[in-house]
Amino acid sequence: MSLRITDHPLVDYPTRELVNITIDGVPVKAYAGEPIAAALLANNVQGFRYTTKRKEPRGLFCGIGQCN
């Protein structure tokens, strides 16, 4: 199941080339110019790293680029 938004009534998504990237040795489909976090989420990868102390998974904090 892909979490990628492909159709939205208010946003015009340009057609982009589908490319293959490799994350930790695993091939992942992504669109050219797409942020890596967006490609990972679209491929159902929700944990991007683990905390040092408690080894808990951490994902995307802010998906709109406005966090300080």
Side-chain angles (χ1 to χ4, degrees):
M1 177 180 91
S2 176
L3 299 176
R4 185 178 277 124
I5 297 171
T6 57
D7 186 38
H8 191 280
L10 301 176
V11 179
D12 182 27
Y13 291 100
T15 303
R16 294 183 284 176
E17 178 185 4
L18 192 60
V19 297
N20 292 311
I21 61 175
T22 303
I23 306 293
D24 293 333
V26 178
V28 175
K29 299 242 183 249
Y31 285 108
E34 177 177 56
I36 292 172
L40 289 173
L41 288 172
N43 285 275
N44 206 29
V45 176
Q46 297 179 13
F48 299 165
R49 68 176 188 89
Y50 292 89
T51 60
T52 305
K53 187 174 182 180
R54 293 175 43 183
K55 308 296 184 219
E56 296 173 326
R58 291 290 186 245
L60 185 65
F61 179 68
C62 173
I64 61 172
Q66 298 298 314
C67 296
N68 292 321

